[in-house]
Amino acid sequence: MTSLLELYVKLVGLVLLGFFLGRKLPATVPTRLGHFLFWVGVPLSIVAFLYQTDLSGQIWIAPAIAYLAIFLGALLAWMGIKWQALFTKNYLQQPTQGSFLLAAMVGNTGYLGYPVTLAIVGTQYFAWALFYDLLGTTLGAYGLGVALAARFSGSVHDIKHITKAIIINPALWSFGFGLILRQVAIPTPVEFYLDKFAWTTVALSLLLIGMRLSKLNSWHSLPQVGISLGIKMLLVPLILGFTLPFFGLTGQAALVIVLQMAMPPAFATLVLAETFNLDRDLAVTAVAVGSIVLLFTLPLWLWLFSVG
């Protein structure tokens, strides 16, 4: 477990470096880095961390809580839409409603959730973050998220394409391979270099976040973004976080789940907004502002749910 100051130096330092590089390097660099991490880096790091992770306990409850967080975020966001229409006469257009819902539902539990979890809790409880992300957030984003995006865009094209993308997602395949590999004793040098590669992938993931943020130039829709981030990063973690003991989750495992619930909106929000012609400005602003807000909300979750 690392100190909060050390965590911020690593997170902010690497993201800022990525932001600077994103402004200076050709636009193809973050694209290629993203492809490398998607097809090689993240899958291999999942195998490496999964090999040394404790899978005992109620770990399969992590995806279930992820679905609860997604549905609760959607419910609160829908109530927020109705409240604005009823009391402020602010009637959001269908595409804006779609982006508003997605931003309150799906978090960046992979590229950002993994490094935060590993830095704060370590590899022992990493499987909780992994199960939450792969079997919860990923399936929720490209399952319910796609259904909502299609509903608010009025189109159903590309659903088969996105379904195919889920099936061939290398992270899900590496998750299964990692579970199998745990039954095999791999040579110590191989394990050593696999571990180093995994931590290098974590650093590259943070650089990529900075690079992508450097390309986000829209800061519109701040009032709507503020509401959606309040739901995604405060209300949902608070409500569900204090119910975790009823699921038998306490200590570090509960902290990991809370941290995953409290992550800012995922880049998948932007992907779906672009694919289904939703409100791209709202999605872009939510991703950018949420990444900054995380720096201020992390101490709250550590104060409320750390076990010392």
Side-chain angles (χ1 to χ4, degrees):
M1 183 173 177
T2 187
S3 68
L4 191 60
L5 177 60
E6 184 181 351
L7 170 64
Y8 275 27
V9 170
K10 292 177 179 177
L11 286 179
V12 177
L14 286 170
V15 171
L16 284 179
L17 177 59
F19 187 91
F20 174 79
L21 292 174
R23 294 279 180 157
K24 299 297 182 179
L25 296 176
T28 56
V29 173
T31 300
R32 290 176 179 174
L33 178 58
H35 288 163
F36 169 77
L37 290 175
F38 181 78
W39 291 106
V40 180
V42 171
L44 280 181
S45 67
I46 287 172
V47 171
F49 288 131
L50 197 55
Y51 187 78
Q52 51 188 294
T53 298
D54 182 10
L55 296 184
S56 61
Q58 301 173 281
I59 196 167
W60 288 98
I61 202 172
I65 296 174
Y67 298 136
L68 282 177
I70 289 172
F71 281 110
L72 179 59
L75 174 62
L76 294 176
W78 182 248
M79 293 171 60
I81 291 172
K82 294 302 181 182
W83 178 83
Q84 292 182 74
L86 183 62
F87 293 100
T88 68
K89 306 303 180 184
N90 185 14
Y91 300 96
L92 303 182
Q93 298 296 316
Q94 288 278 90
T96 300
Q97 291 184 30
S99 290
F100 184 86
L101 284 163
L102 290 173
M105 291 166 48
V106 185
N108 191 346
T109 54
Y111 286 122
L112 194 51
Y114 290 174
V116 169
T117 298
L118 288 165
I120 293 178
V121 183
T123 58
Q124 183 180 0
Y125 292 90
F126 178 68
W128 290 88
L130 195 61
F131 277 51
Y132 188 104
D133 174 58
L134 292 179
L135 301 184
T137 300
T138 299
L139 297 181
Y142 294 107
L144 178 61
V146 168
L148 283 175
R151 160 67 177 81
F152 285 96
S153 71
S155 64
V156 293
H157 67 286
D158 286 334
I159 289 184
K160 290 183 179 180
H161 175 74
I162 294 179
T163 302
K164 179 182 177 181
I166 300 173
I167 296 174
I168 66 172
N169 187 338
L172 290 176
W173 285 97
S174 68
F175 175 74
F177 178 73
L179 291 176
I180 296 173
L181 189 64
R182 287 174 59 86
Q183 313 305 316
V184 180
I186 63 176
T188 301
V190 174
E191 182 179 355
F192 173 81
Y193 286 110
L194 196 59
D195 179 71
K196 295 302 180 184
F197 179 85
W199 282 103
T200 301
T201 296
V202 169
L204 290 175
S205 297
L206 292 171
L207 285 176
L208 179 61
I209 289 175
M211 289 181 181
R212 285 178 168 172
L213 290 178
S214 72
K215 306 299 182 183
L216 305 181
N217 297 314
S218 173
W219 295 92
H220 302 298
S221 309
L222 278 177
Q224 302 304 326
V225 166
I227 298 173
S228 64
L229 292 182
I231 293 170
K232 174 70 190 67
M233 301 181 69
L234 287 175
L235 288 181
V236 170
L238 276 175
I239 294 171
L240 293 183
F242 286 112
T243 68
L244 292 180
F246 295 102
F247 295 96
L249 293 181
T250 57
Q252 301 287 59
L255 177 60
V256 171
I257 296 298
V258 170
L259 290 175
Q260 287 290 68
M261 287 192 289
M263 285 298 112
F267 281 104
T269 301
L270 183 54
V271 171
L272 292 177
E274 291 176 336
T275 301
F276 290 94
N277 298 314
L278 301 179
D279 190 331
R280 186 180 183 276
D281 282 347
L282 193 152
V284 168
T285 308
V287 169
V289 175
S291 299
I292 297 171
V293 169
L294 179 65
L295 298 176
F296 299 94
T297 55
L298 266 181
L300 171 65
W301 308 124
L302 294 179
W303 175 64
L304 288 175
F305 294 97
S306 282
V307 291

